[in-house]
Amino acid sequence: MTDTLGKLFGYLGGTARDLAPILLIVGFFQLVVLQQPIDNIGQFALGFLFVLLGLTVFIRGLDMALFPLGEALANALALRGSLPLLVLFAFSLGFGTTVAEPALIAVGAEAATVMSEAGVIGQSEAELSFMATALRYTVAASVGASLVLGVFRILMGWPIQWLIIGGYICVVVLTPIAPREIVGIAYDSGGVTTSTITVPLVTALGVGLASVIKGRNPMIDGFGLIAFASLMPIIFVLLFGLVVAT
Amino acid sequence: MITILTDLFWTFLSVVRDVLPIAAVLLLFQLVILRKPIPHPQKVAVGMFYVLLGLALFLSGLELALFPLGREMAAQLTDPSFLGIEPGGVVQWLDYYWVYIFAFAIGFATTIAEPSLIAVALKAQEASGGAVKANGLRIAVAFGVAISLAVGTFRIVTGTPLYQYMIVGYVIVVIQTLMAPRMIIPLAYDSGGVTTSTVTVPLVAALGLGLASTVPGRSPLLDGFGLIALASLFPMITVMGYAQISNWLSRRKADQDSQGENHEV
């Protein structure tokens, strides 16, 4: 029992060190630069305690559940050796984790409002909600497609840079011709697609696949799935804007 | 206290709802299609509960402590009266120096605490056999986010177009890709995507929108966006830079060691 408690304090100490910079910076700006006391210091302290406990427990859960689950699936899929199954899995994981993402739902609604104010689409409620939903499915499909592409790359051992640089070139070419209102939203949509639960799972999946498949290196081939999942939505949303505008 | 507990409960439920589609996909493949039992089901179940509880506590805590304060600080720091700007006066970009310093510092600090980055850093340390240090990677990414927020707030103040910064950043990334050690490249590309999730985005959005609505001549709609885009770009540069520097240092050390040996002979 004392051993478990000792371990727990060890974990908490590690997390406390991770959070110390936030406390220092908030304290410095509030007290020295803005010269104001922190309102509601009790609420702040309680919230900070929640953050500390939450992060510590989350990291334990990563090691116990998310990493082993991702690795077990990577192993089982690689042993099965069925490409269609792997592709189906990659797409469902990307699409399924993104389509219900609250941040994405918010971005979709916001994008619909911006485009209707700019006169790209009509003002009616039906058109707005259709636009928001269509954008949401576009982004979810793009994340699904990016995981398929990423898994395919791991199988083939292609160098990542050509694919990513190719993606950048698409972004650079599409930016000036897409409707101006959608550009900022497109760029930011790349950031909202990768949630805290998807990232560890997808990373474990990629590294797991690259470790099991002969001739692949976990560092060179295993990472990179997240990069595709952040780049592809930008291209899809820019294309979406082009299609809607014409 | 009771409202705090009910908030925590609702946050827990919404985290569960977010996880449901992921769990459905995993279980469908593991149990129905592949027909493989989950290894150590009890441990995994406890671990999943830890993940859900941890995230719920973390998010509620952010909502209680950090976000209200962060939003208020962003509003106060961008307030013209704090910055000593007279109404209708000409704005110099240097007047906003506290904003840049704050953006840099808060970008660094929140990235160090970002849960997805911790996950990727742990995995990278394991996959590289310790050649990539988890903490080194996190600090490199945090510097990237810090620089990008300072540059991004400068961009909002000066009103220069986002794409110019993005294109310059892309060109640097391409040049570094040609020169950096090969094994760091995929990880560097990934670190662009993981920086912007739970902690950083809400604070950054508050800063960007606050700034865009107080700087004369900026529109929150056109200029408030883009901080997140920059925050996904710059970490690639700093992570590749980190690998290049540590590679160079170890090579120099190896050179010195071998020279030392030569002297002894």
Side-chain angles (χ1 to χ4, degrees), chain A residues 139-219:
Chain A
V139 174
S142 71
V143 177
S146 61
L147 289 193
V148 171
L149 181 66
V151 163
F152 208 69
R153 177 191 81 87
I154 295 175
L155 295 182
M156 307 302 289
W158 289 334
I160 190 170
Q161 49 267 42
W162 302 121
L163 293 168
I164 296 285
I165 292 171
Y168 283 161
I169 293 174
C170 290
V171 172
V172 171
V173 169
L174 286 171
T175 300
I177 51 177
R180 191 161 159 249
E181 294 75 21
I182 205 144
V183 171
I185 294 163
Y187 283 6
D188 279 356
S189 73
V192 302
T193 51
T194 40
S195 81
T196 316
I197 294 162
T198 325
V199 167
L201 263 180
V202 164
T203 308
L205 175 78
V207 172
L209 274 180
S211 322
V212 179
I213 297 170
K214 260 205 188 113
R216 297 288 167 271
N217 174 315
M219 280 304 284

Side-chain angles (χ1 to χ4, degrees), chain A residues 22-23 26-27 38-50, chain B residues 61 64-70:
Chain A
I22 299 189
L23 214 50
V26 167
I38 293 173
D39 302 338
N40 233 333
I41 187 98
Q43 188 191 331
F44 182 80
L46 184 68
F48 214 80
L49 186 70
F50 276 18
Chain B
L64 271 175
L66 213 55
F67 291 162
L69 194 64

Side-chain angles (χ1 to χ4, degrees), chain A residues 22-237:
Chain A
I22 299 189
L23 214 50
L24 278 176
I25 283 157
V26 167
F28 173 77
F29 272 85
Q30 194 73 10
L31 303 176
V32 180
V33 180
L34 293 166
Q35 301 189 337
Q36 276 170 353
I38 293 173
D39 302 338
N40 233 333
I41 187 98
Q43 188 191 331
F44 182 80
L46 184 68
F48 214 80
L49 186 70
F50 276 18
V51 169
L52 177 68
L53 283 175
L55 198 55
T56 310
V57 173
F58 172 80
I59 295 171
R60 288 296 301 144
L62 273 184
D63 274 333
M64 288 170 68
L66 288 184
F67 284 162
L69 268 181
E71 278 155 25
L73 265 165
N75 272 325
L77 284 165
L79 278 180
R80 179 62 78 88
S82 153
L83 183 63
L85 207 56
L86 193 56
V87 165
L88 184 68
F89 175 72
F91 188 84
S92 340
L93 188 66
F95 188 87
T97 55
T98 313
V99 78
E101 176 81 19
L104 178 61
I105 297 174
V107 167
E110 188 180 26
T113 316
V114 172
M115 289 180 81
S116 120
E117 275 168 10
V120 181
I121 57 168
Q123 302 275 352
S124 73
E125 195 67 32
E127 262 179 288
L128 277 180
S129 95
F130 173 77
M131 184 58 55
T133 314
L135 189 82
R136 187 146 70 91
Y137 281 97
T138 306
V139 174
S142 71
V143 177
S146 61
L147 289 193
V148 171
L149 181 66
V151 163
F152 208 69
R153 177 191 81 87
I154 295 175
L155 295 182
M156 307 302 289
W158 289 334
I160 190 170
Q161 49 267 42
W162 302 121
L163 293 168
I164 296 285
I165 292 171
Y168 283 161
I169 293 174
C170 290
V171 172
V172 171
V173 169
L174 286 171
T175 300
I177 51 177
R180 191 161 159 249
E181 294 75 21
I182 205 144
V183 171
I185 294 163
Y187 283 6
D188 279 356
S189 73
V192 302
T193 51
T194 40
S195 81
T196 316
I197 294 162
T198 325
V199 167
L201 263 180
V202 164
T203 308
L205 175 78
V207 172
L209 274 180
S211 322
V212 179
I213 297 170
K214 260 205 188 113
R216 297 288 167 271
N217 174 315
M219 280 304 284
I220 294 176
D221 303 295
F223 287 92
L225 288 174
I226 311 281
F228 287 115
S230 331
L231 179 60
M232 201 81 104
I234 305 181
I235 300 174
F236 271 53
V237 173

